[in-house]
Each structure stands twice: as C-alpha cells, then as structure tokens.
C-alpha cells in the first residue's frame, strides 16, 4: 500500500485505495482514530464536540497498514487502520457478523428447519451458534429434547438473552382457561398473528415450549412474513408501499392494563428491505388513518392477510412434547388450528427475549471463532 | 341528532354530523361495529378478510345515538356509537387518555419538578396518577421518602410496570468499580446521554434510586432533550432535519455481549412532533452514513450536542439518599459532574420499565376516574 494517494480537501480527503478513490470526511476520520476507544470500558472517550474548530488534515500517510493523519489544530496525529477504510469503501460500514441476509422460506421448509438438541445449546458454543444463526437467517428453529419441566425454558432462553417481560409477566401458559384474557387461552382456532403488537416494543424472539400435547387437532401454523411481504411487493407494489408506509393501531387490554401502540404492518429498514411484519387482527384497534386513505389501505391490508392464508406459505405441524419452537416474533407469523378441548391435554409454555440480545450472542460466538454451520443431516441424532 | 344526512358512496358514506360533513370508509365502519369486540377477552372477533365482497351500505340511520347500517351482502346490521364518529371527526382518532401533550422544560424547572412520596405511589391511586402523569407530560419526577433498601426499587417500579432487563441484568449499581464495564461506574464526570442506545429497544423509563451520597461533587444533571430539539428546529431547521432523518450506530460491548443498533438522534412521530432524542457519545459507533453526507451531518450533530451543554437547558442538583429520580430515557438526557472518589460514598441503584407500561398504567387509572392533578404545593408535606 505504498503508492496510496491523498487529496486533502476542506471537509475530508479522497484516498486512492487499491479498490478505487474514496472520500472520507475529516470528522469521521478523527472519530475513527484508535485512541478514541478506552481499552478498559471499550467506550468512546474522544469527544468530537470539544474540538475548538472543525478538523482539518495537513498531511496523511500510510505506515504499517495504518493511516496516519496530522491535523492543523492538534498536536497528536490520528491513526486509523486501513482495513477499516477498505471495509467502509466496500460496504459503507464496518463488518457486522450478525448482519446475515434473511433466507426467505415457504411451505416446503419443514424438513429443513434447523433442529438443535437442548443439550447442544446449553453445553456447546457450536450448538448455540447453530441455533442463533438459524434464528437470524430463517427466523425459526426447533430445540429438541427439552426437559418437560418449567425450569427448562428459562435455562434455554438465558443461553441467548434475558427473558423480557410482557403484560402477562415473564412467562405465559397456552392452554384452555376458564376466564381467558386472550383467544390463545381457549381451544378455538387462532388466526395467523405476531404477538403483542400493542406493546411499544413488541417481543423480539418468542419461545414456545411444548410440555404436553395429546389433543385431536390443534396443529401449529407458521409462515415467513418477510416471504409473504416480498411476494406482495412483486404482485402488487402499491399495496406493499401502503402497508410499509403507514402505521395502524393495536391494543392489549384487560382489567389491569391498557396497552396501545402503532405499528407498520410491513416493517422495512432504511434500504427498503423487509425486516418484519406485524399482524394481529384480534388485537387490532379501529384504524386511525385518514378515512379517504382507508379506501386504498383497507383493500391492501385485506389482500396481504389473505395471502398469508395461502398454502404456499404455511408450515403445519404437530407440536411435540419436549420440543421448543423458537422464532423471530417480528418476522414469523404463527397461529393454531382449533382442537377438541376434552380429547386430551395441550400445554405450551412461552416467553420472549429480544432480537438485539440474539444478535449480541451470535456476534460474541463468531468473535470466538465458533463454527456455526450445521453438520450434514445424517450426522444429527 | 334526528336530522343527520347520509350520502352513500361506493367505498364509504358522507355523514352530515353537526360538526360538519365527514367521510367514513365502509371497511372502517364495519370494523367499528360494537359486535366486533368479544366482551370476555376484549379482543376483535370480526375478521374483515373473511368478507366475500367489500362492504357496501344500503341504508343508514341513527337510533339512540348509535349509527345503524344495513349492508348489501350481510344479514345483520352494524351498530357504531355516534360518539366514536364525532371523536374521529374531531381528532382523526378515538380519544387516548395517555396522549397528553409534552410540556417542555428548561433550567428553571427544578422547583416545579413533580415530587411524590413513595407511600403515596405505593398506596394510593392518586399518588400513582400524579407520578405517571408527570412522567408523560414532563418526562421526569422525583419519588421521595424511599426506603434505603434494595427492595424499595422493585416495589416502586412494579407499581408502574414490569422491570425490563438490559445486558447488565435487571438492576444496576452506579458506584466506583474496580473493573468498570461502563464510564458510569467510575468517579469521573459522565457527559450528557441517554442510556443503552445500542439496544434495539433502548430502555423506556429509567429509575435512579439514591441509596447513599456523601461525596464532594457528583451533582446530577438532567435536561429535556425534546426542548433542546425544538430549540434546534427553531434556530437551524436544516440541522434538525438531518438529525431527525438519519440513523447512526451505537454499541454496548464487553466480554459477553456485543449489542449494536441504529437510532435517530432526534426521534419524531409521523406528525413530525419530537418524541425523543438519543445521545451517548461514549457508546457511539463509527458513523456509517455516506461520507459526503457526513460533511453536513457532523456539524449538525456537533451543534446539537453543544446546545445540550448550554446552561439554559440544564438542571443541576445533588441526588439525596432516599430519593428516586424517574425519567423518560428517550426524552430526558442525563449526566453527572465528576466527584472526589475518597471524599465519601455515592451509590445509586437503577433499573428500567417501558413507556408502553407507563401509559397503560395511566390509562387504567384514568378509566377508574382517579384524580391526577397535584394538590397545591402548600398541601404537600
């Protein structure tokens, strides 16, 4: 890298990287100096707002793969690793091991769902890496061989992140109740939904641990909401744009709580990529968009929900005692067929952690160099 | 209301309300029918996507302050309270008791901070209503007369909402530590910040319970980030627009975690109103906006943070043992002056709940008809 050129401008410099000339802002370069981060707390200790004047470079050179910059108004030079500059030039940002592309899936996904033994998750970095990677890429995985005790669930969750509470508390039990606070706690069918959209921050990652299931019916239903959203974008871009642009209200209400929040039905990131969906007709409040906008919004909304009922998207399977389905509650839409209440017992125990904790756990494993690729299916017990 | 006129159109009807002619979409009217909500679970049981054709009214009339609509393709009429129509006509949405306007405040707010006795919060709906109302309107309040035990904090928090965990666990202790994971856990000054922006959902409401404070220095600093943001909007609308439009990255990293998230420095709602700010230079990652955008973004960012250091915005006071400062972590920016570590002891214990839980609690109190206005200052012990 001895022949790198520098063109020092007023607010930044053009660096002649081998990959091409790339502009870097001076504030950014000053903030990116290695000395800006305290090695003990790992926090930023340089405060850009304390500079008396905007940073202005007077010279730049590369030494030992580090860009060394002398500043007009500072005694000390800054040191920025060239590897950071090439990363930013290539991707616009530093690498994030958890920024794995989503793999959309359809109704034929069942045989390919990632399955990891409880003991592999609890006792090995590799098991934990396979589970967390599947949750980031596919949004769903099954942990098998769970103990059929109430302690098994918190043990599993805590290997990924802290249990985040909802209005129902830290854990909830899905079974027939006498005075249900929620349609889930009946034997009726439960239409496709994401959980608790009435909370400002709807739960991120959901766990459903099956403790018992001997009833007739009651098949579990799952679909990839991001796959349905992308199908809608392909088939009806205007409907997609409406659902991705406007927020509608949801609630969760009973004697002691009255949660309300607005959510976009299709959630996109600043690049326009689908990051999730929110759907829950039984917790949907009266829409409060302008009434004339509803003339076009409602048909788009109805179309999207009907797409979710198409067979091409839906996985159907019987929850087995000892399994725990884990899924991204902002992406994976779930439901249940009705069942015959007195034909046996059905008891799922559930809770949540958040997606930030999931990605944090995966990053730490990757930084330790843990392998996260599943062994071939034949190697799985 | 006997003379109300109805103009039935293709997708909705124009209702001649006393307040003026107002358009209502048919899907919305069908969804707003009183029978759509199950009285036991309080959930929506009517599914608009199951209709064979879009709803089309064939007649409408008002009976006993209820709009009765006959539909072309349904046997049963719908019933919508006229009070809902007039509310929506006036405000665009149904009333929300927790949708109180924010009251911006400045450096002279100290004598007017709402103070509520711990026992009033724990034992009376009125005390709880005063505290939650202040947190919604002002974003800050002080609970006085707290027991100086570790049990006092969870008792207080649980009267508002569940304790939400962070990477540090459910509770954290702010005092000098040998191997700090965070600048807070030193005796140094702590620049103005909001907590944990590296989490996907940064904590909503923060509690800081002062158990002990006998050190020299270490004054607590608070400001209303929404007030500073509005001042920036008035003084430099372009800088405001930049900070409200783009997300920047934050982190929280140590041996066992690596949280990363993007946040807007100024958070606005769909109406453009400021709902919060996110600022934490010590947890700010290298910015990943396009480098040429940084030429304008960085100066706006520096300007906003410098405004936060102006005396006109900042409250300064000594945290007193037995007090708990409660504040909206998305709106109120806090910090600390440095202190002399061996001049005494300083120990704050903190935790979080979320803003949705706060508003839920306030709504339930209002629906019970609880008074939430503080008595005159002379009546306060």
């Amino acid at each position: 890298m001895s022949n790198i050129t520098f063109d020092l401008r007023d607010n930044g410099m053009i660096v002649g990287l081998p990959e091409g000339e790339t502009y870097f802002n001076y504030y950014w370069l000053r903030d990116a100096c290695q000395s800006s981060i305290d090695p003990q707390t790992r926090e930023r200790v340089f405060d850009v707002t304390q500079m008396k004047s905007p940073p202005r470079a007077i010279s730049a050179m590369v030494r030992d793969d580090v860009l060394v910059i002398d500043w007009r108004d500072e005694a000390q030079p800054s040191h920025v690793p060239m590897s950071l500059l090439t990363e930013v030039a290539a991707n616009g940002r530093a690498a994030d091991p958890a920024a794995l592309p989503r793999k959309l899936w359809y109704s034929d996904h069942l045989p390919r769902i990632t399955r990891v033994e409880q003991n592999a998750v609890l006792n090995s970095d590799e098991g934990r890496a396979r589970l967390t990677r599947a949750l980031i890429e596919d949004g769903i995985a099954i942990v098998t061989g769970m103990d059929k005790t109430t302690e098994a669930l918190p043990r599993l969750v805590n290997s990924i992140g802290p249990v985040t509470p909802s209005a129902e508390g830290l854990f909830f039990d899905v079974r027939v109740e006498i005075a249900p606070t929620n349609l889930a706690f009946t034997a009726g069918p439960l239409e496709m939904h994401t959980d608790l959209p009435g909370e400002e921050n709807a739960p991120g990652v959901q766990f459903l641990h099956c403790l018992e299931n001997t009833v007739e019916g009651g098949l579990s239903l799952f679909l990839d909401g991001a796959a349905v959203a992308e199908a809608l974008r392909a088939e009806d871009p205007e409907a997609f744009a409406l659902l991705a642009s406007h927020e509608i209200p949801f609630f969760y209400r009973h004697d002691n709580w009255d949660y309300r929040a607005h959510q976009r039905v299709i959630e996109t990131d600043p690049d326009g990529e689908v990051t999730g969906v929110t759907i829950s007709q039984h917790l949907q409040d009266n829409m409060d968009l302008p009434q004339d906008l509803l003339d076009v919004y409602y048909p788009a909304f109805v179309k999207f929900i009907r797409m979710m009922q198409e067979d091409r998207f839906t996985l159907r399977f019987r929850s087995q005692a000892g399994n725990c389905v884990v899924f991204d509650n902002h992406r994976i839409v779930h439901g249940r067929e009705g069942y015959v209440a007195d034909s046996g017992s059905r008891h799922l125990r559930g809770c949540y952690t958040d997606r930030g904790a999931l990605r944090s756990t995966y990053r730490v494993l990757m930084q330790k160099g843990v392998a996260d690729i599943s062994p071939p299916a034949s190697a799985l017990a």
Side-chain angles (χ1 to χ4, degrees), chain A:
Chain A
M1 285 201 179
S2 54
N3 296 328
I4 289 180
T5 59
F6 299 96
D7 177 2
L8 307 184
R9 304 288 182 93
D10 288 352
N11 299 309
M13 64 174 76
I14 297 171
V15 182
L17 295 173
E19 297 79 10
E21 295 199 327
T22 311
Y23 179 74
F24 293 95
N25 172 272
Y26 287 145
Y27 278 108
W28 186 88
L29 288 166
R30 182 64 190 82
D31 245 351
C33 176
Q34 291 166 322
S35 68
S36 295
I37 303 293
D38 177 75
Q40 170 66 48
T41 64
R42 306 197 195 179
E43 296 184 357
R44 180 175 302 278
V45 286
F46 170 70
D47 183 351
V48 75
T49 69
Q50 298 302 317
M51 302 181 81
K52 294 209 166 39
S53 54
R56 180 77 187 251
I58 51 173
S59 80
M61 59 169 292
V62 177
R63 189 192 307 142
D64 296 337
D65 283 335
V66 170
L67 172 62
V68 182
I69 306 167
D70 281 314
W71 301 105
R72 187 184 60 192
D73 301 328
E74 292 193 86
Q76 298 296 323
S78 288
H79 298 82
V80 183
M82 288 302 292
S83 58
L84 177 61
L85 298 194
T86 52
E87 252 179 29
V88 168
N91 308 314
R93 56 184 58 180
D96 176 359
L100 301 172
R102 285 171 196 77
K103 294 181 177 171
L104 304 184
W105 54 261
Y106 303 87
S107 61
D108 59 354
H109 186 60
L110 191 55
R112 288 189 301 277
I113 284 191
T114 295
R115 290 161 177 269
V116 192
E117 275 274 337
Q118 170 199 252
N119 290 340
V121 179
L122 298 182
N123 303 326
S124 78
D125 283 347
E126 289 73 16
R128 219 141 45 99
R130 276 167 48 214
L131 174 62
T132 49
R133 179 177 177 141
L135 291 172
I136 294 170
E137 289 186 326
D138 303 332
I140 191 167
I142 297 177
V143 177
T144 59
M146 295 274 291
D147 299 337
K148 290 168 205 160
T149 64
T150 53
E151 293 74 37
L153 184 56
R155 208 159 49 212
L156 175 67
V157 179
N158 285 326
S159 74
I160 295 181
V163 177
T164 48
S166 74
E168 303 275 354
L170 288 172
F171 298 92
F172 55 89
D173 290 281
V174 182
R175 57 187 163 190
V176 177
E177 289 187 2
I178 303 300
T181 55
N182 189 299
L183 287 176
F185 309 150
T186 70
L190 194 57
E191 95 278 352
M192 300 304 284
H193 67 284
T194 54
D195 268 23
L196 298 182
E199 298 200 358
E200 184 175 19
N201 308 313
V205 180
Q206 180 164 181
F207 296 74
L208 281 175
H209 177 201
C210 183
L211 289 164
E212 195 173 13
N213 187 12
T214 58
V215 298
E216 283 172 37
L219 288 192
S220 296
L221 310 175
F222 291 91
L223 62 76
D224 181 354
V228 185
E230 287 299 350
L232 181 70
R233 170 145 57 187
E235 292 172 27
D236 189 342
E238 286 171 26
F240 177 93
L242 283 163
L243 299 180
S245 306
H246 301 287
E247 298 184 333
I248 62 171
F250 295 91
F251 63 82
Y252 196 40
R253 225 165 259 165
H254 224 260
D255 291 346
N256 297 318
W257 63 77
D258 182 352
Y259 283 83
R260 306 184 197 181
H262 284 73
Q263 314 283 355
R264 287 187 294 161
V265 169
I266 296 177
E267 180 195 281
T268 50
D269 65 18
D271 301 328
E273 206 185 331
V274 175
T275 53
V277 300
T278 295
I279 203 82
S280 185
Q281 287 165 276
H282 59 288
L283 297 175
Q284 180 209 309
D285 214 338
N286 291 322
M287 293 202 193
D288 52 9
L289 294 170
Q291 292 284 332
D292 52 353
L293 178 58
L294 292 178
D295 287 354
V296 288
Y297 188 90
Y298 252 117
F301 179 74
V302 168
K303 181 176 214 165
F304 186 52
I305 292 175
R306 284 188 181 154
M307 281 181 78
M308 287 196 184
Q309 292 155 0
E310 292 177 24
D311 282 340
R312 60 175 163 149
F313 295 113
T314 308
L315 287 186
R316 258 183 193 77
F317 60 88
R318 165 172 293 275
S319 287
Q320 288 185 333
N323 280 1
C324 183
V325 184
V326 190
F327 56 98
D328 181 341
N329 182 56
H330 288 251
R331 170 177 165 191
I332 305 303
V333 185
H334 68 291
R336 173 188 74 208
E337 297 183 342
Y339 61 94
V340 183
D342 56 5
S343 63
S345 298
R346 186 178 191 277
H347 181 191
L348 305 183
R349 190 167 150 78
C351 70
Y352 311 102
T353 188
D354 76 51
R355 297 192 291 183
L358 166 71
R359 290 190 292 260
S360 167
T361 298
Y362 182 74
R363 285 184 195 109
V364 170
L365 291 166
M366 289 307 99
Q367 279 145 12
K368 288 165 75 174
V370 174
D372 62 343
I373 303 296
S374 304
S378 59
L380 292 172

Short mmCIF file of all heavy atoms in Angstrom, two decimals, chain A residues 137-175:
data_model
loop_
_atom_site.label_atom_id
_atom_site.label_comp_id
_atom_site.label_asym_id
_atom_site.label_seq_id
_atom_site.Cartn_x
_atom_site.Cartn_y
_atom_site.Cartn_z
N GLU A 137 -31.09 -16.04 10.21
CA GLU A 137 -31.28 -16.26 8.77
C GLU A 137 -32.71 -16.67 8.42
O GLU A 137 -33.30 -16.15 7.48
CB GLU A 137 -30.32 -17.35 8.28
CG GLU A 137 -28.87 -16.89 8.24
CD GLU A 137 -27.97 -17.94 7.60
OE1 GLU A 137 -28.24 -19.15 7.76
OE2 GLU A 137 -26.99 -17.53 6.95
N ASP A 138 -33.23 -17.67 9.15
CA ASP A 138 -34.54 -18.24 8.81
C ASP A 138 -35.65 -17.67 9.69
O ASP A 138 -36.83 -17.78 9.35
CB ASP A 138 -34.54 -19.76 9.03
CG ASP A 138 -33.46 -20.46 8.22
OD1 ASP A 138 -33.09 -19.93 7.15
OD2 ASP A 138 -32.99 -21.53 8.66
N GLY A 139 -35.28 -17.14 10.85
CA GLY A 139 -36.29 -16.62 11.78
C GLY A 139 -36.97 -17.69 12.60
O GLY A 139 -37.85 -17.38 13.40
N ILE A 140 -36.60 -18.97 12.41
CA ILE A 140 -37.26 -20.05 13.14
C ILE A 140 -36.29 -21.22 13.31
O ILE A 140 -35.43 -21.45 12.45
CB ILE A 140 -38.55 -20.51 12.42
CG1 ILE A 140 -39.39 -21.45 13.31
CG2 ILE A 140 -38.25 -21.16 11.08
CD1 ILE A 140 -40.80 -21.69 12.79
N ALA A 141 -36.43 -21.94 14.43
CA ALA A 141 -35.65 -23.15 14.68
C ALA A 141 -36.39 -23.94 15.76
O ALA A 141 -37.26 -23.40 16.45
CB ALA A 141 -34.24 -22.81 15.15
N ILE A 142 -36.05 -25.22 15.87
CA ILE A 142 -36.68 -26.06 16.90
C ILE A 142 -35.59 -26.64 17.79
O ILE A 142 -34.60 -27.19 17.30
CB ILE A 142 -37.50 -27.21 16.26
CG1 ILE A 142 -38.65 -26.62 15.43
CG2 ILE A 142 -38.03 -28.15 17.33
CD1 ILE A 142 -39.48 -27.66 14.68
N VAL A 143 -35.77 -26.45 19.10
CA VAL A 143 -34.86 -27.07 20.06
C VAL A 143 -35.53 -28.36 20.53
O VAL A 143 -36.68 -28.33 20.99
CB VAL A 143 -34.56 -26.13 21.24
CG1 VAL A 143 -33.67 -26.83 22.27
CG2 VAL A 143 -33.90 -24.86 20.73
N THR A 144 -34.85 -29.47 20.36
CA THR A 144 -35.43 -30.78 20.67
C THR A 144 -34.87 -31.30 22.00
O THR A 144 -33.88 -30.78 22.52
CB THR A 144 -35.10 -31.80 19.56
OG1 THR A 144 -33.67 -31.90 19.45
CG2 THR A 144 -35.67 -31.36 18.22
N GLY A 145 -35.52 -32.34 22.51
CA GLY A 145 -35.01 -32.99 23.72
C GLY A 145 -35.05 -32.11 24.95
O GLY A 145 -34.23 -32.26 25.86
N MET A 146 -36.03 -31.19 25.00
CA MET A 146 -36.17 -30.33 26.19
C MET A 146 -36.72 -31.14 27.35
O MET A 146 -37.61 -31.98 27.17
CB MET A 146 -37.16 -29.20 25.89
CG MET A 146 -36.74 -28.23 24.83
SD MET A 146 -35.70 -26.89 25.48
CE MET A 146 -36.89 -25.97 26.47
N ASP A 147 -36.23 -30.86 28.54
CA ASP A 147 -36.85 -31.43 29.73
C ASP A 147 -38.29 -30.93 29.80
O ASP A 147 -38.57 -29.79 29.43
CB ASP A 147 -36.10 -30.97 30.99
CG ASP A 147 -34.66 -31.43 30.98
OD1 ASP A 147 -34.36 -32.41 30.28
OD2 ASP A 147 -33.84 -30.78 31.66
N LYS A 148 -39.19 -31.78 30.28
CA LYS A 148 -40.60 -31.36 30.37
C LYS A 148 -40.88 -30.76 31.73
O LYS A 148 -41.78 -31.18 32.45
CB LYS A 148 -41.51 -32.55 30.07
CG LYS A 148 -41.45 -32.95 28.59
CD LYS A 148 -42.10 -34.29 28.33
CE LYS A 148 -41.53 -34.92 27.07
NZ LYS A 148 -41.75 -36.37 27.02
N THR A 149 -40.07 -29.77 32.09
CA THR A 149 -40.24 -29.08 33.37
C THR A 149 -40.34 -27.59 33.10
O THR A 149 -39.94 -27.11 32.03
CB THR A 149 -39.02 -29.31 34.28
OG1 THR A 149 -37.87 -28.71 33.64
CG2 THR A 149 -38.75 -30.79 34.48
N THR A 150 -40.83 -26.85 34.08
CA THR A 150 -40.94 -25.40 33.89
C THR A 150 -39.58 -24.72 33.95
O THR A 150 -39.44 -23.59 33.51
CB THR A 150 -41.87 -24.77 34.95
OG1 THR A 150 -41.42 -25.17 36.24
CG2 THR A 150 -43.31 -25.21 34.74
N GLU A 151 -38.57 -25.40 34.49
CA GLU A 151 -37.24 -24.79 34.58
C GLU A 151 -36.50 -24.84 33.24
O GLU A 151 -35.54 -24.10 33.02
CB GLU A 151 -36.36 -25.50 35.62
CG GLU A 151 -36.82 -25.32 37.06
CD GLU A 151 -38.05 -26.15 37.37
OE1 GLU A 151 -38.15 -27.29 36.86
OE2 GLU A 151 -38.94 -25.66 38.09
N ALA A 152 -36.92 -25.77 32.36
CA ALA A 152 -36.17 -25.96 31.11
C ALA A 152 -36.20 -24.70 30.24
O ALA A 152 -35.20 -24.35 29.61
CB ALA A 152 -36.76 -27.14 30.34
N LEU A 153 -37.33 -24.00 30.25
CA LEU A 153 -37.47 -22.85 29.34
C LEU A 153 -36.54 -21.69 29.73
O LEU A 153 -35.77 -21.22 28.88
CB LEU A 153 -38.94 -22.42 29.29
CG LEU A 153 -39.26 -21.30 28.31
CD1 LEU A 153 -38.82 -21.64 26.90
CD2 LEU A 153 -40.76 -20.99 28.34
N PRO A 154 -36.57 -21.22 30.99
CA PRO A 154 -35.64 -20.12 31.32
C PRO A 154 -34.18 -20.50 31.10
O PRO A 154 -33.38 -19.66 30.69
CB PRO A 154 -35.92 -19.83 32.81
CG PRO A 154 -36.81 -20.91 33.29
CD PRO A 154 -37.49 -21.51 32.11
N ARG A 155 -33.83 -21.77 31.32
CA ARG A 155 -32.44 -22.19 31.11
C ARG A 155 -32.07 -22.01 29.63
O ARG A 155 -31.00 -21.51 29.30
CB ARG A 155 -32.31 -23.67 31.52
CG ARG A 155 -30.95 -24.07 31.97
CD ARG A 155 -31.01 -25.35 32.82
NE ARG A 155 -31.81 -26.38 32.17
CZ ARG A 155 -32.54 -27.29 32.83
NH1 ARG A 155 -32.57 -27.30 34.15
NH2 ARG A 155 -33.24 -28.19 32.17
N LEU A 156 -32.98 -22.42 28.75
CA LEU A 156 -32.73 -22.27 27.31
C LEU A 156 -32.63 -20.79 26.92
O LEU A 156 -31.68 -20.37 26.25
CB LEU A 156 -33.84 -22.95 26.51
CG LEU A 156 -33.76 -22.77 24.99
CD1 LEU A 156 -32.55 -23.49 24.43
CD2 LEU A 156 -35.05 -23.25 24.32
N VAL A 157 -33.61 -20.01 27.35
CA VAL A 157 -33.66 -18.59 26.95
C VAL A 157 -32.41 -17.87 27.42
O VAL A 157 -31.78 -17.12 26.66
CB VAL A 157 -34.91 -17.90 27.53
CG1 VAL A 157 -34.93 -16.43 27.12
CG2 VAL A 157 -36.16 -18.61 27.07
N ASN A 158 -32.02 -18.11 28.66
CA ASN A 158 -30.88 -17.38 29.22
C ASN A 158 -29.57 -17.70 28.51
O ASN A 158 -28.60 -16.96 28.65
CB ASN A 158 -30.76 -17.64 30.72
CG ASN A 158 -31.82 -16.87 31.49
OD1 ASN A 158 -32.20 -15.77 31.11
ND2 ASN A 158 -32.32 -17.46 32.57
N SER A 159 -29.54 -18.77 27.73
CA SER A 159 -28.33 -19.03 26.95
C SER A 159 -28.26 -18.10 25.74
O SER A 159 -27.23 -18.01 25.08
CB SER A 159 -28.29 -20.50 26.51
OG SER A 159 -29.21 -20.73 25.47
N ILE A 160 -29.34 -17.38 25.47
CA ILE A 160 -29.37 -16.43 24.34
C ILE A 160 -29.50 -14.99 24.82
O ILE A 160 -28.82 -14.10 24.33
CB ILE A 160 -30.54 -16.77 23.39
CG1 ILE A 160 -30.30 -18.13 22.76
CG2 ILE A 160 -30.70 -15.69 22.33
CD1 ILE A 160 -31.37 -18.55 21.79
N GLY A 161 -30.38 -14.75 25.79
CA GLY A 161 -30.57 -13.39 26.28
C GLY A 161 -31.51 -13.40 27.47
O GLY A 161 -32.10 -14.43 27.79
N PRO A 162 -31.66 -12.24 28.13
CA PRO A 162 -32.55 -12.19 29.29
C PRO A 162 -34.02 -12.33 28.86
O PRO A 162 -34.39 -11.93 27.77
CB PRO A 162 -32.29 -10.80 29.88
CG PRO A 162 -31.70 -9.99 28.78
CD PRO A 162 -31.02 -10.95 27.84
N VAL A 163 -34.82 -12.93 29.73
CA VAL A 163 -36.26 -13.03 29.47
C VAL A 163 -36.86 -11.62 29.59
O VAL A 163 -36.68 -10.95 30.59
CB VAL A 163 -36.94 -13.97 30.50
CG1 VAL A 163 -38.45 -13.99 30.27
CG2 VAL A 163 -36.35 -15.37 30.40
N THR A 164 -37.54 -11.18 28.53
CA THR A 164 -38.17 -9.85 28.58
C THR A 164 -39.65 -10.02 28.94
O THR A 164 -40.34 -10.85 28.36
CB THR A 164 -38.04 -9.12 27.24
OG1 THR A 164 -38.42 -9.99 26.18
CG2 THR A 164 -36.62 -8.68 27.01
N PRO A 165 -40.12 -9.23 29.89
CA PRO A 165 -41.50 -9.40 30.36
C PRO A 165 -42.52 -8.81 29.40
O PRO A 165 -42.20 -7.95 28.59
CB PRO A 165 -41.51 -8.62 31.67
CG PRO A 165 -40.47 -7.56 31.50
CD PRO A 165 -39.41 -8.15 30.60
N SER A 166 -43.75 -9.30 29.48
CA SER A 166 -44.88 -8.67 28.80
C SER A 166 -45.91 -8.35 29.88
O SER A 166 -45.67 -8.58 31.06
CB SER A 166 -45.48 -9.63 27.77
OG SER A 166 -46.22 -10.64 28.43
N ALA A 167 -47.06 -7.84 29.46
CA ALA A 167 -48.12 -7.56 30.43
C ALA A 167 -48.48 -8.82 31.22
O ALA A 167 -48.89 -8.74 32.37
CB ALA A 167 -49.36 -7.01 29.72
N GLU A 168 -48.31 -9.99 30.61
CA GLU A 168 -48.67 -11.25 31.27
C GLU A 168 -47.61 -11.69 32.28
O GLU A 168 -47.78 -12.71 32.94
CB GLU A 168 -48.84 -12.37 30.23
CG GLU A 168 -49.85 -12.09 29.13
CD GLU A 168 -51.27 -12.45 29.55
OE1 GLU A 168 -51.45 -13.01 30.64
OE2 GLU A 168 -52.19 -12.15 28.78
N GLY A 169 -46.50 -10.99 32.35
CA GLY A 169 -45.41 -11.41 33.24
C GLY A 169 -44.25 -11.95 32.42
O GLY A 169 -44.14 -11.67 31.23
N LEU A 170 -43.38 -12.72 33.06
CA LEU A 170 -42.19 -13.23 32.36
C LEU A 170 -42.52 -14.44 31.50
O LEU A 170 -41.94 -14.65 30.45
CB LEU A 170 -41.11 -13.61 33.37
CG LEU A 170 -40.42 -12.43 34.07
CD1 LEU A 170 -39.51 -12.92 35.19
CD2 LEU A 170 -39.61 -11.60 33.07
N PHE A 171 -43.46 -15.27 31.96
CA PHE A 171 -43.81 -16.50 31.24
C PHE A 171 -45.33 -16.54 31.06
O PHE A 171 -46.07 -15.93 31.83
CB PHE A 171 -43.34 -17.73 32.02
CG PHE A 171 -41.85 -17.76 32.19
CD1 PHE A 171 -41.25 -17.20 33.32
CD2 PHE A 171 -41.03 -18.30 31.21
CE1 PHE A 171 -39.87 -17.20 33.46
CE2 PHE A 171 -39.65 -18.29 31.34
CZ PHE A 171 -39.07 -17.74 32.48
N PHE A 172 -45.77 -17.25 30.04
CA PHE A 172 -47.21 -17.44 29.88
C PHE A 172 -47.47 -18.89 29.54
O PHE A 172 -46.60 -19.59 29.00
CB PHE A 172 -47.79 -16.49 28.83
CG PHE A 172 -47.13 -16.58 27.48
CD1 PHE A 172 -47.59 -17.48 26.52
CD2 PHE A 172 -46.05 -15.78 27.17
CE1 PHE A 172 -46.98 -17.57 25.27
CE2 PHE A 172 -45.42 -15.86 25.93
CZ PHE A 172 -45.89 -16.77 24.98
N ASP A 173 -48.67 -19.36 29.87
CA ASP A 173 -49.05 -20.73 29.60
C ASP A 173 -50.19 -20.73 28.61
O ASP A 173 -51.20 -20.07 28.83
CB ASP A 173 -49.47 -21.42 30.90
CG ASP A 173 -48.28 -21.66 31.81
OD1 ASP A 173 -47.54 -22.62 31.55
OD2 ASP A 173 -48.06 -20.85 32.74
N VAL A 174 -50.02 -21.44 27.50
CA VAL A 174 -51.06 -21.53 26.49
C VAL A 174 -51.80 -22.84 26.69
O VAL A 174 -51.29 -23.92 26.39
CB VAL A 174 -50.47 -21.47 25.06
CG1 VAL A 174 -51.59 -21.50 24.02
CG2 VAL A 174 -49.61 -20.24 24.88
N ARG A 175 -52.98 -22.75 27.28
CA ARG A 175 -53.85 -23.91 27.47
C ARG A 175 -55.24 -23.36 27.73
O ARG A 175 -55.43 -22.14 27.84
CB ARG A 175 -53.36 -24.77 28.63
CG ARG A 175 -53.25 -24.00 29.93
CD ARG A 175 -52.59 -24.83 31.03
NE ARG A 175 -52.16 -23.96 32.10
CZ ARG A 175 -51.38 -24.34 33.11
NH1 ARG A 175 -50.94 -25.58 33.18
NH2 ARG A 175 -51.03 -23.49 34.05
#
